[in-house]
Amino acid sequence: MNPVFSIKEAINKIEHFCAYQERCHEEVVQKLRSMKMDSEEIDSIMVHLISDNFLNEERFACSFARGKHRIKHWGKIRIINELKSKKITQTLINSALKEISPEEYATTFHALAERHWESIRETNLMKKRNKFCDYMLRRGYENNLVFEKVKELEHLEYG
């Protein structure tokens, strides 16, 4: 059974929640709802969090984009879709994507592609190509990049 929180207790708990890692507004609202707060209380707590800089959507979006690219090696399409699912505006998504330099993006893409191509133990070229393309597209890389890379890797391997 969930305890009932006073506004002060809820603010204290949610400040720790936001200080632990960057959060988007949607995550915080859901957390407050799970704490059985009503909409007026949620609104006043959100205003407090934003004014005290515990909550900042732009900071969240930029941190999310950098982290998912550098750590999980996600492509731009996957990052965009995940940010949209968190109800982040297109303007903030665009500024978040600027956090990833084109050079860093290309380096990560090529390293991931080559590592994955080498790891596929498939003798049938069509199946290998499909596995590679599916994996890279699931990671959120653009179609044209994936298809150019698969041609390049096939050419290197099969001449």
Side-chain angles (χ1 to χ4, degrees):
M1 176 149 159
N2 283 355
V4 176
F5 293 95
S6 71
I7 292 258
K8 269 206 179 332
E9 290 171 327
I11 286 175
N12 200 1
K13 193 168 173 70
I14 213 76
E15 281 178 354
H16 286 286
F17 181 68
C18 293
Y20 176 70
Q21 75 178 45
E22 291 295 338
R23 307 283 181 180
C24 67
H25 292 206
E26 187 65 18
E27 287 172 315
V28 174
V29 168
Q30 284 182 333
K31 179 77 170 171
L32 288 168
R33 282 196 188 117
S34 77
M35 293 165 67
K36 305 284 189 253
M37 306 306 280
D38 67 33
S39 359
E40 283 180 21
E41 291 170 328
I42 290 175
D43 290 343
S44 72
I45 292 172
M46 292 297 284
V47 167
H48 165 77
L49 293 172
I50 293 166
S51 65
D52 285 7
N53 211 16
F54 279 99
L55 209 49
N56 181 323
E57 290 264 80
E58 183 173 11
R59 195 174 61 209
F60 167 78
C62 292
S63 169
F64 184 90
R66 272 192 318 270
K68 294 302 182 190
H69 179 70
R70 290 183 183 148
I71 296 163
K72 291 199 169 185
H73 307 299
W74 285 3
K76 290 181 180 178
I77 294 171
R78 174 110 185 242
I79 292 170
I80 289 168
N81 291 337
E82 294 289 330
L83 286 171
K84 281 181 181 172
S85 78
K86 294 179 181 297
K87 297 185 169 82
I88 304 294
T89 64
Q90 190 59 51
T91 312
L92 292 180
I93 290 173
N94 293 341
S95 85
L97 290 176
K98 289 180 186 151
E99 293 286 310
I100 305 166
S101 72
E103 300 79 28
E104 179 187 1
Y105 191 73
T107 304
T108 304
F109 170 76
H110 292 298
L112 180 67
E114 287 159 17
R115 190 170 58 238
H116 189 66
W117 182 262
E118 295 302 318
S119 75
I120 302 172
R121 297 285 161 242
E122 181 62 65
T123 52
N124 181 324
L125 180 60
M126 288 305 288
K127 285 183 181 176
K128 185 171 184 171
R129 180 188 297 155
N130 283 344
K131 284 182 178 184
F132 174 81
C133 290
D134 287 347
Y135 176 81
M136 295 304 286
L137 293 172
R138 237 187 352 267
R139 286 291 206 179
Y141 288 98
E142 296 83 344
N143 291 346
N144 60 333
L145 285 177
V146 172
F147 296 130
E148 284 172 24
K149 190 67 181 178
V150 80
K151 283 180 194 161
E152 175 192 322
L153 291 167
E154 283 175 2
H155 184 72
L156 288 173
E157 189 169 328
Y158 299 100

